Amino acid sequence: MTTMQSAVGLKVPKNLGEKIISLAHKLEIVNKTLFIKSQSDHLLIPLIRQPNENELSQLKDIAPQLMLDKNDEVFVEKRPAEETLDHALKRQLPPNLHSSIPHSFDIVGDIAVIEIPSALNNNRYKDVIGQAILRTHKHIKSVHAKAGAINGVYRIRDLTYIAGENRTQTIYNEYNCKYHVDLAKAYFSPRLSQEHHRIATLVNGNEVVADLFAGVGPFAVPIGKLCPKTRVYAVDINPDAVELLKLNVKINHIENQVYPLLGDARELANSKLRGIADRVIMNLPETAIDFIDAACQTLKPAGGLIHFYGFTRKPDTIDNLKTRLTSAIEQQHRKITAFNFIKNVRETAPYEQQIVIDTQIH
Ligand SMILES: C[S@@+](CC[C@H](N)C(=O)[O-])C[C@H]1O[C@@H](n2cnc3c(N)ncnc32)[C@H](O)[C@@H]1O
């Protein structure tokens, strides 16, 4: 953001600008917090005060045509060098704790979510960290600390408020889509943004897509936006997630493409969604394997695609995950005709990876 400030200006011809600037600095009359202005054939130097008679005559010895502009000219303010979080915390925390200073945190809209290392996990240090984040990241308005792992059927993490505005709702922008998010009520991770976009770019034409674990809609919404002829059935068992999803469908103007459904994926696969989908998205990595029956029931009898997300925890391997998926699909009397894409999407914990497997099913 540019901020402006008015000040007395010293108007000098450009060809004498360097000499005048140097003398004005010696006389300590230059306002160093403001930028010098360049106008057609002269410069306007911002001053902290008017020069006295003696100073003015020294300046006029160099540039007789120099003029004092007392009409409070407006200048652009120089921004002070921005402090990093690391610097801010090193100034405030004792040296023996410097090795524990956190170097990163998640940002969702204007909310920061940080993992506090155990050495700093007390109210005093949490406050220091929270305030330092607010000071060094001006767009962040609220800071929370992770207070446990993602857990429960709704896959939500407990958070502890530490600084700024005490709220967990925000608006998040990703690839031209807008999301209302509430980190205390429904799952959301900005770390999957590339994956959300990748899947949306694979969908084409008038496909029917079933997003069985849709959350607030980060897979369903971009598909709706990018593919106007596609219909997406977006299911979630968490009523708060579905309320947010409905809002997100509305603000992204995709009411005719994306249909939010509150309920259990397996029940809906057995009823409303049976045999309708060309493509099924299964982002419930902890237990997606237990819902392969639901995914297969949702697919059209002729088959289609499943985007399956799962975890591997060392010594488990991607090959083991492929074997488990293949066996679960064969138990449903379906066949994998191709593995289109397999990728380690992200590290979710030490020795734990989230893997995506795109499979073609017949
Ligand atoms: C890991 S989150 C993923 C949400 C979303 N796809 C995303 O990427 O942000 C999994 C979601 O599945 C939902 N869920 C869990 N069990 C379910 C079930 N049996 N039927 C439908 N949704 C379920 C949870 O409420 C949660 O919102």
Side-chain angles (χ1 to χ4, degrees), residues 153-155 187 196 212-215 218-219 236-238 263-265 283-284 291:
V153 172
Y154 296 168
R155 312 307 297 148
Y187 176 91
H196 303 148
L212 294 185
F213 311 104
F219 286 97
D236 206 285
I237 203 166
N238 174 357
D264 170 47
N283 184 24
L284 180 63
F291 286 88

Side-chain angles (χ1 to χ4, degrees), residues 61-77:
D61 281 348
I62 299 172
Q65 60 279 62
L66 157 155
M67 279 167 38
L68 208 52
D69 189 344
K70 298 178 197 164
N71 290 336
D72 270 359
E73 190 69 37
V74 172
F75 294 89
V76 174
E77 263 185 31

Side-chain angles (χ1 to χ4, degrees), residues 2 7 17 37 79 85 98 111 145 175 210-211 246 278 283 314 319 341:
T2 306
K37 263 188 185 174
R79 296 211 310 167
L85 180 61
H98 287 185
I111 298 179
Y175 286 101
D211 184 357
K246 285 182 182 164
D278 299 288
N283 184 24
K314 275 189 180 148
D319 277 344
F341 182 81

Side-chain angles (χ1 to χ4, degrees), residues 33-193:
T33 67
L34 303 176
F35 282 110
I36 293 172
K37 263 188 185 174
S38 172
Q39 296 175 329
S40 56
D41 56 350
H42 60 268
L43 297 177
L44 209 53
I45 305 165
L47 302 183
I48 47 172
R49 61 172 170 80
Q50 287 187 37
N52 61 33
E53 264 180 42
N54 177 27
E55 290 165 338
L56 201 56
S57 90
Q58 289 183 53
L59 291 160
K60 284 199 168 177
D61 281 348
I62 299 172
Q65 60 279 62
L66 157 155
M67 279 167 38
L68 208 52
D69 189 344
K70 298 178 197 164
N71 290 336
D72 270 359
E73 190 69 37
V74 172
F75 294 89
V76 174
E77 263 185 31
K78 290 180 189 170
R79 296 211 310 167
E82 278 174 19
E83 195 180 28
T84 64
L85 180 61
D86 192 62
H87 279 137
L89 291 176
K90 279 189 176 144
R91 273 195 301 104
Q92 288 180 279
L93 295 172
N96 63 320
L97 291 175
H98 287 185
S99 62
S100 298
I101 286 175
H103 295 294
S104 65
F105 50 86
D106 282 343
I107 298 176
V108 183
D110 59 1
I111 298 179
V113 178
I114 188 158
E115 184 153 3
I116 306 276
S118 52
L120 300 172
N121 200 2
N122 64 46
N123 286 345
R124 199 175 122 230
Y125 292 146
K126 277 200 269 200
D127 184 55
V128 167
I129 293 169
Q131 296 301 337
I133 291 177
L134 292 176
R135 260 197 333 276
T136 55
H137 295 75
K138 297 285 184 221
H139 61 292
I140 289 176
K141 301 290 177 238
S142 172
V143 185
H144 295 260
K146 293 183 183 175
I150 288 182
N151 64 77
V153 172
Y154 296 168
R155 312 307 297 148
I156 299 171
R157 187 195 295 283
D158 287 338
L159 298 173
T160 308
Y161 159 76
I162 54 176
E165 296 170 21
N166 187 357
R167 61 174 159 84
T168 49
Q169 309 96 312
T170 186
I171 294 181
Y172 171 76
N173 291 295
E174 183 178 282
Y175 286 101
N176 273 336
C177 300
K178 248 189 201 171
Y179 300 93
H180 282 271
V181 170
D182 188 332
L183 299 174
K185 292 186 172 172
Y187 176 91
F188 187 78
S189 172
R191 296 188 188 193
L192 291 174
S193 66

